[in-house]
Amino acid sequence: GLLYTVAPLLILGELMIEINQLLNKEKDEALLFVKKVYIESKDESYSENGIETFCNFIDNKEITKSFKVYGAFEDNILKGVIATDRRKRHINLFFVDKSSQAKGIGKKLMNIVTDDNENSFITVNSSRYAVPIYEKIGFIKTEEEKEQDGLKFTPMKLILKDEVKGQ
C-alpha cells in the first residue's frame, strides 16, 4: 500500500510545495533560515561589513515585525522564504535553499506576492547573485548596482499593472 500513498506526490516530477504565511515562532525560524542561505550564497560582491549589515537587519525585530513572511515547505521542511512590507509593495527578502533552487519554488513564492496585489509595481533591492533570477521573473533594473553599509544591491522593479489604466 505504501507505493500508492507516495505516487500522488510525484505529479509529473513536480514537488509538492506548500506555501504558508508565517507568524511568531515560525517567522523567527524563517529569518534564521534566510541568514543561513544568505551566507551560503556568498560571492565576491559580499564584504564582511555587508554581511554584518545584513545580519543586523535580519535580527532587528523593530524592522522585521512589520514584514509579511511566507514560507515554502516540502515535506514540512522549509525550502524558501519571501517577505514583503505590509502592503506587498517591496520585497524585503527572497531566499530559496541552494539545493532546492531552479525547481519552481521561488516562482510559487513570488506568485503569492504578485497575485491579488493592489500595487502597480513591486520593488526589490537585489543581490548580485539574484539579478538574473529576478530578470527571468520580469523585473527590470531601475538603477545600476549601489553600495550601502557594505551591502551591494541593484534596485529593480516589476510592473504589475499598466500605470495609466491602474489609476
Side-chain angles (χ1 to χ4, degrees):
L2 190 66
L3 277 176
Y4 296 103
T5 53
V6 174
L9 296 178
L10 301 171
I11 307 163
L12 300 174
E14 184 167 333
L15 304 169
M16 289 296 290
I17 299 294
E18 203 182 330
I19 310 276
N20 299 316
Q21 185 169 359
L22 308 181
L23 303 163
N24 309 326
K25 188 166 132 318
E26 283 191 318
K27 189 168 164 179
D28 292 340
E29 284 165 12
L31 293 170
L32 278 175
F33 166 88
V34 161
K35 219 190 279 192
K36 178 181 80 82
V37 177
Y38 171 79
I39 287 165
E40 283 170 6
S41 309
K42 196 172 163 179
D43 64 18
E44 76 288 344
S45 70
Y46 282 49
S47 66
E48 287 307 312
N49 182 11
I51 293 170
E52 195 183 334
T53 299
F54 184 82
C55 291
N56 288 340
F57 167 71
I58 293 293
D59 291 337
N60 188 329
K61 293 268 185 280
E62 277 306 298
I63 294 175
T64 60
K65 74 174 186 208
S66 67
F67 289 7
K68 260 191 176 154
V69 182
Y70 299 89
F73 295 84
E74 183 190 355
D75 297 329
N76 294 320
I77 297 164
L78 185 63
K79 297 290 185 173
V81 168
I82 197 163
T84 68
D85 61 333
R86 278 198 190 95
R87 291 177 54 194
K88 293 186 177 179
R89 277 181 308 195
H90 183 77
I91 294 168
N92 296 311
L93 303 168
F94 182 37
F95 288 88
V96 174
D97 202 313
K98 265 196 116 78
S99 61
S100 303
Q101 288 174 9
K103 291 184 183 174
I105 294 174
K107 197 169 181 206
K108 285 195 165 83
L109 283 166
M110 189 58 75
N111 288 342
I112 288 284
V113 173
T114 55
D115 295 352
D116 305 320
N117 193 314
E118 300 294 292
N119 306 294
S120 50
F121 62 88
I122 302 178
T123 56
V124 69
N125 291 327
S126 175
S127 67
R128 188 178 291 178
Y129 175 82
V131 167
I133 297 163
Y134 282 114
E135 286 179 331
K136 221 165 117 183
I137 299 167
F139 279 77
I140 50 171
K141 291 182 191 178
T142 52
E143 291 177 68
E144 284 311 304
E145 188 176 74
K146 313 165 85 149
E147 186 172 336
Q148 199 178 331
D149 299 323
L151 265 187
K152 293 193 173 75
F153 62 90
T154 301
M156 302 181 81
K157 80 175 182 178
L158 176 69
I159 308 275
L160 294 175
K161 299 184 181 76
D162 183 315
E163 307 205 26
V164 182
K165 281 197 307 244
Q167 293 310 318

